Amino acid sequence: MKRFDYFVNEKNEDAYMSGADPATYHDFEGGEQGEPIDYIFQHIYNLRSGNMNISIASYSFHGMFNQQEIDLFGYLESLKYRYHVNGADIWNIMLASYDEEYLRKIKKHMDQKEIHLANLCVDGAHVWEQEPELREKNYQHALTNLRAAEVLEAQTVRIDMGGHDLDMSDEQFEYTVKRYKEYAHRAEEGGYRVGPENHWGTSRVPENIKKLVEAVDSPAFGILLHLENWDVDKENGDRLCAQYAFHTHFAAWVLPRYEEKINHLIDAGYKGHFSVEHHSGKNEYVEAEWQLANIRRILTHLTNKAN
């Protein structure tokens, strides 16, 4: 069965053809494996209305940032006027301060430009370190960043798992679950989602991600899926973990397979942003635009298929 080639019933077909909000569609469990169909209509609606759920990670401009050629306000200007993207994906290292007045200034600039924060991507707050003092330091930094996310009204927050080995000890696993349960409870109360990225160390094993998601067991918990960034089960990691994703990073090396990855995500019921992340530190404006254009092209083709 093709992804967009069927309708639930006549009422939903009429709603789709009229461009109605998917919230008006009738509940239905359909498809070959009984998967919910709501997310398919949601993506069709987003595409047709011009809301492609695209963001660009501010880390894409880390080279310019390190050379003091761009700051967070310049990044927001670029999203609005260079790329015409309304989804921000802020790397916390670009925050000049955690002072609330500064954060509210950022939020004001975002609101003026009709930009929302799809993800706050937090470094320096990973959950597990072998030394208790470092764990506590990171925990306090995580709390600071969760507060920043709440001021900025982030939809999702990435806080890494930590752990430099692929295997988790019982102590590491129990502590990691404990912290993420705490973060997820706070996120659920605040209306956002939180979780790790398959970024480095322990998180780059799909089975570790699965085990963690099942143990935390919260609707506010998920992962930032960094496509093709696995140390184990590299061929299947993205497909296995797409069901847990609340946000994504599309690197340049994945570009030949962007369409395949987007289709896998939609099949898994993904409702988050397709976020460009560039890593080279060179020619960043152009490189990010190149990646962005490819994602837009694929999503536009999906729109045409839907029509």
Side-chain angles (χ1 to χ4, degrees), residues 185-205:
H185 177 72
R186 177 169 177 166
E188 187 169 11
E189 289 189 333
Y192 58 96
R193 301 183 71 189
V194 66
E197 176 183 358
N198 54 314
H199 196 195
W200 53 273
T202 306
S203 65
R204 289 176 62 159
V205 179

Side-chain angles (χ1 to χ4, degrees), residues 226-227 249-256 258 275-279 291:
H226 189 142
L227 295 155
H249 279 168
F250 282 72
W253 68 76
V254 186
L255 195 148
Y258 274 10
S275 192
V276 169
E277 185 177 45
H278 189 73
H279 297 84
Q291 292 174 235

Side-chain angles (χ1 to χ4, degrees), residues 135-155:
R135 289 203 295 269
E136 179 61 23
K137 178 182 178 182
N138 287 359
Y139 172 60
Q140 295 301 324
H141 193 46
L143 296 181
T144 298
N145 277 276
L146 288 175
R147 174 57 185 155
E150 289 157 4
V151 173
L152 296 172
E153 299 183 11
Q155 296 178 2

Side-chain angles (χ1 to χ4, degrees), residues 232-245:
V232 174
D233 209 354
K234 296 181 180 180
E235 296 298 321
N236 297 308
D238 291 344
R239 187 186 292 272
L240 292 171
C241 292
Q243 61 185 308
Y244 310 128

Side-chain angles (χ1 to χ4, degrees), residues 58 61 64-65 69-83 94 102 109 113 115 285:
S58 69
F61 310 103
M64 296 171 63
F65 175 73
E69 295 175 352
I70 194 172
D71 62 7
L72 197 51
F73 297 101
Y75 161 73
L76 295 173
E77 290 283 320
S78 295
L79 286 184
K80 177 68 174 180
Y81 300 111
R82 178 183 289 268
Y83 299 113
M94 289 183 74
Y102 168 75
H109 278 253
K113 295 173 177 59
I115 290 172
Y285 277 143

